[in-house]
Amino acid sequence: MTTTAKFLAVNIDCADPRGLAEFYSKVFGYEVQYAEDTYAGIGDGTMNIYFQQNPDRRPSTWPGPDKQFHLDVLVPDVAQAVEDYLKLGASKPDFQPGEGRWVVLADPEGHLFCVCPQKD
C-alpha cells in the first residue's frame, strides 16, 4: 500500500521572495504569513505558496521547452483580472495559445500563469 500524503505547499524559486509574496497575496487574496529577504509564504489556511530565494534562477523562455510549471487561476472576468494583474507588475507574453479562452501572463519574475474563466 502506498503512503497517502497531504499537500502542504508549492515552493517557487525567485530572486525577491518578499516581493513575489506581495504580488501573489494580491492575486489570490491570501495573507502574507511570513516574509524575509530569503524566504516568504502566503496562504489561506488550506493552500500555501512559499517563495525561496534563488538569485541565479532565470525565467524560462515562452514558448519554449524549458518551462517547468505554471499556475492556473480561475477568475470571474478574465479581461478585468488581466488588467488588474498587469497593474500589479505582471506582463503579457506575445504568444497566447488559449485562442481567447484564457490568457497567459508572467509574474514580475517571469513565472507563467494562466488566467482562466470560472465556469458557472
Side-chain angles (χ1 to χ4, degrees), residues 23 62-63 78-115:
F23 174 82
W62 175 248
V78 172
Q80 181 63 57
V82 167
E83 181 180 326
D84 293 344
Y85 303 156
L86 292 172
K87 287 178 185 174
L88 291 174
S91 59
K92 184 178 175 185
D94 291 334
F95 180 66
Q96 294 291 320
E99 297 177 10
R101 295 178 306 220
W102 69 85
V103 175
V104 177
L105 295 179
D107 71 23
E109 292 203 19
H111 302 97
L112 298 172
F113 64 104
C114 293
V115 182

Side-chain angles (χ1 to χ4, degrees), residues 30 33 42-48:
Y30 291 173
Q33 299 170 332
I42 64 171
D44 67 355
T46 302
M47 177 64 185
N48 301 292

Side-chain angles (χ1 to χ4, degrees), residues 3-105:
T3 302
T4 302
K6 292 189 180 194
F7 183 81
L8 172 62
V10 62
N11 284 267
I12 299 176
D13 286 359
C14 60
D16 179 15
R18 190 183 309 259
L20 216 51
E22 286 294 327
F23 174 82
Y24 279 109
S25 73
K26 291 178 177 96
V27 168
F28 288 111
Y30 291 173
E31 295 286 327
V32 175
Q33 299 170 332
Y34 181 81
E36 63 177 42
D37 291 340
T38 60
Y39 202 74
I42 64 171
D44 67 355
T46 302
M47 177 64 185
N48 301 292
I49 305 173
Y50 301 146
F51 305 93
Q52 180 174 324
Q53 188 174 53
N54 178 351
D56 297 327
R57 183 197 160 272
R58 293 187 193 126
S60 61
T61 56
W62 175 248
D66 56 343
K67 178 177 73 74
Q68 295 179 352
F69 77 94
H70 71 274
L71 302 175
D72 290 338
V73 302
L74 293 173
V75 297
D77 183 330
V78 172
Q80 181 63 57
V82 167
E83 181 180 326
D84 293 344
Y85 303 156
L86 292 172
K87 287 178 185 174
L88 291 174
S91 59
K92 184 178 175 185
D94 291 334
F95 180 66
Q96 294 291 320
E99 297 177 10
R101 295 178 306 220
W102 69 85
V103 175
V104 177
L105 295 179

